[in-house]
Amino acid sequence: MQYIEQYQKPFLKFLEGFTTDKEPKNLYNPINYILQLGGKRLRPILTLMAAEIFGGNADRAMDAALSIEVFHNFSLVHDDIMDDAPLRRGEETVHEKWNLNTGILSGDAMLIMAYQLFENYEPQTFQALAKLFSKTALEVCEGQQYDIDFETRNDVTISEYLKMIEYKTAVLVGAAMKMGAIVANASIEDQNSIYEFGRLLGIAFQLQDDYLDAFGNPETFGKQVGGDIIENKKTYLYLKTMELGSEDETLNLKTFMSNLELPNSNKVEKVKALFYASGAAEATQNAVKSYTNKAFEVLETLNVSHEKKQVLRVFGEQLMNRRV
């Protein structure tokens, strides 16, 4: 993706300067470790991109972009603890490499460090960034709690699921873009519009992720294909099958998902077949297109040139057309 690469290199260089040797090492080494594990760095890139879209300087938005990345990785450290996950991006998770207490404390420190980065801006910008950040951080926590609650519920609705992915994933995408607009001193109208563009694109991105988890290329997806099925997650595909499927299809879905003796490979194939037969696979792809198109409609309301709108449109298209 050409636009990602354009911002990725300078951001990674800025990130290098942030991950320095500090004492006590058992607090800061895990922070450096998780920040250097990789990832696409999409959220900070969106902050830098938005700053330039509104006539600002990407360099001036680096602290805000880094704040988003530090917060995102903080949430991963704590999510991994809650999920008891052994691996993150193919490497040991922080709590596995060190221990549980270190994971909790280093994560706490990262949240504070994310706020500290706003101190490099003048008071008015600092206040706007901190206010948005606090609202977003709390929503991400709410989204995580919804996700946990859904694990033990059998009556999750599609609207509830959409709210969960909005809070857990999409609001951070919207906030990343709005932070760039704030640093660039864009109008309140444009700040709110770019947030909405990011939020809608974030929902589309997560729905696409749900789809790729089941139907992505196992060689390029980067995660175990069918992982959500193996973990019995009530994804959009699952909920749509329950909504659209015949009585036999919904009964079979429940049976396959709850069968502890069925080998994982068989379970994945049987459930994927139900996703297709019920129309849920097609409905999920249609939902991805719908949210992407809504995002593009918001894009047209921005008070920027056609060329700058096109940069965001191409980025959105690249994001939604990914097959990995």
Side-chain angles (χ1 to χ4, degrees):
M1 294 185 184
Q2 63 189 67
Y3 295 113
I4 290 178
E5 290 164 4
Q6 179 184 336
Y7 295 102
Q8 208 169 40
K9 284 185 180 178
F11 176 75
L12 289 174
K13 189 174 180 183
F14 190 74
L15 177 61
E16 275 179 34
F18 182 74
T19 53
T20 54
D21 260 355
K22 289 182 185 178
E23 296 285 347
K25 291 189 183 298
N26 281 336
L27 177 68
Y28 291 106
N29 283 354
I31 294 172
N32 294 341
Y33 171 78
I34 187 70
L35 287 173
Q36 291 168 348
L37 267 191
K40 295 184 182 69
R41 319 288 186 180
L42 284 179
R43 293 158 193 82
I45 285 167
L46 289 173
T47 303
L48 303 178
M49 186 184 291
E52 290 204 332
I53 289 290
F54 292 110
N57 188 311
D59 287 343
R60 190 166 173 271
M62 280 291 179
D63 286 305
L66 182 55
S67 175
I68 282 284
E69 184 68 2
V70 171
F71 173 80
H72 173 60
N73 280 276
F74 141 74
S75 71
L76 298 182
V77 171
H78 280 194
D79 281 1
D80 287 341
I81 291 170
M82 285 183 260
D83 295 341
D84 197 21
L87 297 175
R88 166 66 61 183
R89 296 169 186 147
E91 301 291 338
E92 280 184 294
T93 48
V94 168
H95 70 277
E96 284 286 331
K97 189 172 176 65
W98 280 270
N99 55 62
L100 200 62
N101 288 343
T102 297
I104 293 168
L105 193 59
S106 293
D108 290 345
M110 290 175 80
L111 179 57
I112 296 162
M113 292 163 82
Y115 272 101
Q116 274 188 323
L117 285 157
F118 299 143
E119 294 171 9
N120 297 320
Y121 294 101
E122 61 274 12
Q124 190 174 351
T125 303
F126 171 91
Q127 185 180 28
L129 290 171
K131 187 176 179 181
L132 171 62
F133 189 84
S134 296
K135 173 181 175 288
T136 305
L138 196 56
E139 286 172 340
V140 170
C141 291
E142 290 172 6
Q144 175 69 358
Q145 187 60 57
Y146 283 129
D147 198 18
I148 292 167
D149 291 347
F150 291 174
E151 290 176 13
T152 54
R153 278 182 53 193
N154 294 314
D155 58 347
V156 179
T157 64
I158 286 174
S159 62
E160 285 178 317
Y161 181 76
L162 289 170
K163 183 177 182 180
M164 184 273 286
I165 64 173
E166 176 185 349
Y167 280 20
K168 191 174 176 184
T169 301
V171 294
L172 197 58
V173 177
M177 302 203 82
K178 187 172 180 178
M179 281 186 180
I182 289 170
V183 171
N185 293 317
S187 68
I188 297 297
E189 181 188 0
D190 279 338
Q191 287 178 26
N192 292 336
S193 292
I194 199 71
Y195 175 89
E196 189 64 5
F197 170 76
R199 185 187 71 84
L200 291 165
L201 210 59
I203 294 172
F205 180 88
Q206 186 56 55
L207 291 174
Q208 176 82 329
D209 215 51
D210 282 6
Y211 181 84
L212 291 174
D213 187 272
F215 300 108
N217 184 335
E219 293 180 9
T220 55
F221 183 49
K223 292 188 281 187
Q224 180 183 21
V225 171
D228 287 345
I229 296 170
I230 293 166
E231 293 174 26
N232 297 323
K233 288 196 174 179
K234 300 174 184 77
T235 63
Y236 194 83
L237 283 162
Y238 173 92
L239 297 172
K240 269 293 175 185
T241 302
M242 294 302 295
E243 179 190 64
L244 301 174
S246 65
E247 192 174 335
D248 282 347
E249 285 167 343
T250 56
L251 182 62
N252 285 337
L253 180 61
K254 288 179 183 177
T255 302
F256 295 147
M257 292 293 267
S258 61
N259 190 336
L260 299 176
E261 295 178 5
L262 192 65
N264 284 341
S265 57
N266 287 12
K267 179 178 178 177
V268 168
E269 288 310 310
K270 287 178 181 297
V271 170
K272 282 169 63 174
L274 289 172
F275 288 167
Y276 261 124
S278 65
E282 184 181 0
T284 302
Q285 288 182 302
N286 288 339
V288 171
K289 289 175 189 171
S290 174
Y291 278 99
T292 304
N293 288 336
K294 285 177 186 176
F296 289 158
E297 286 172 18
V298 173
L299 191 56
E300 291 309 309
T301 69
L302 294 179
N303 294 299
V304 296
S305 68
H306 173 74
E307 288 73 22
K308 288 182 176 179
K309 289 176 185 176
Q310 194 59 23
V311 168
L312 290 172
R313 176 179 280 275
V314 169
F315 176 81
E317 287 170 350
Q318 288 174 335
L319 211 56
M320 290 308 109
N321 291 331
R322 77 195 198 284
R323 290 288 175 266
V324 298

